Structure formats: structure tokens, C-alpha cells
Amino acid sequence: MIDVMASSVLNAPITSVWPLIRDFGSIGDWLPGVKSCQIEKDDPGDRVGAIRRLEMGDVGLIREQLLALSDTDHTMTFSIIESALPIRNYRSTISLFPVTDGDRTFIRWKGQFEADPDHAATMQARMPTLIYQPAFDSLARRLAD
């Protein structure tokens, strides 16, 4: 398995950040490159087992399933169940932690996946720098507005 991770500090309290993360269907509001996002079968965005369909500008359709959601721990775990990306068995967790110095939020996005050797290094570099960090930057801008 290949492990990837990125983290950041957002200048907003966890009570402002968590509602944006916990709604599985709202990722289109803060993940760059999402053309559309829809929860299948009109499930609520916080129901474990819900499946979202992301139409991405660069890789097309991605279907992801919500595996776990904890309002107590401020964590969400999901997996990719369909994608054109050259990876398999992708699973990731987004976690929030309160930063008491200034009432800010530490955000960490960890992922794991398998990839063929010819794609492994590229995907390992891509996830944190071209997906996770731009998402954090977008969240920071949204929270500043």
C-alpha cells in the first residue's frame, strides 16, 4: 500500500469547518476541479454507505462511498469505488482537530491506495500536492469569505 498525507491549519474554528467536511455531497463546493457532485439515490450526505458521483475536469467520473463519519472525532472516511485513475483500493480519511491557539482548525487528509509500479510514484506525488493541498487552500478561501 502507498500512503499519502497532507495537512494544514485553517483560520476558522472547527465548528465552522466541520459542517463543510461532514456533508459528503458538498465536496464540490471546496475541491478544485469538481464539475459536479451528486449523492446517488438522494441519500443524505451524512449517511454511512452513501455514494457520491464526482464529475472531475481532468479524470472524468469518480464514484466514492462514505465508510465512516464521526461528529465526536470530526473524521470522515471514504473509498473510491469507480475511477479512471491508475489506482485501486483507495481509502482516505479527513480529520479535523481544534487548534486552541487562535481558535483555528488543523486538517489532515490521509490516503492509502495500490498502484502499478509505473504509476505509483506519480500518484503518490499527485495526491497531496494536486488534490489535498488545493482542497485546503479552497476551504481557507471559502472560510475567509
Side-chain angles (χ1 to χ4, degrees):
M1 291 295 264
I2 298 167
D3 293 308
V4 291
M5 191 274 295
S7 63
S8 190
V9 175
L10 302 171
N11 288 318
I14 202 167
T15 55
S16 297
V17 181
W18 181 237
L20 299 174
I21 302 299
R22 81 176 301 278
D23 180 357
F24 195 54
S26 74
I27 195 169
D29 296 336
W30 51 267
L31 181 67
V34 175
K35 294 167 82 176
S36 69
C37 178
Q38 178 180 338
I39 301 288
E40 295 181 359
K41 300 180 185 175
D42 293 322
D43 278 338
D46 61 355
R47 188 185 72 74
V48 172
I51 295 173
R52 67 181 172 203
R53 296 175 62 88
L54 297 167
E55 204 45 59
M56 301 296 292
D58 60 344
V59 295
L61 174 70
I62 298 177
R63 293 178 68 232
E64 298 174 328
Q65 185 170 32
L66 182 60
L67 301 176
L69 181 72
S70 172
D71 289 323
T72 303
D73 296 328
H74 300 104
T75 61
M76 154 197 280
T77 300
F78 60 94
S79 64
I80 292 178
I81 56 176
E82 182 181 337
S83 168
L85 291 168
I87 61 173
R88 59 192 175 280
N89 298 322
Y90 176 85
R91 180 183 176 117
S92 72
T93 300
I94 299 174
S95 304
L96 304 180
F97 304 91
V99 176
T100 57
D101 178 20
D103 201 18
R104 297 174 295 160
T105 301
F106 179 83
I107 185 169
R108 181 183 67 205
W109 191 339
K110 294 174 69 172
Q112 276 191 330
F113 58 90
E114 295 174 359
D116 293 332
D118 50 336
H119 295 288
T122 301
M123 294 307 295
Q124 188 172 19
R126 176 187 175 148
M127 293 289 185
T129 59
L130 298 179
I131 298 172
Y132 302 172
Q133 189 58 52
F136 299 158
D137 296 343
S138 176
L139 278 167
R141 286 189 300 275
R142 181 180 170 104
L143 290 161
D145 291 342

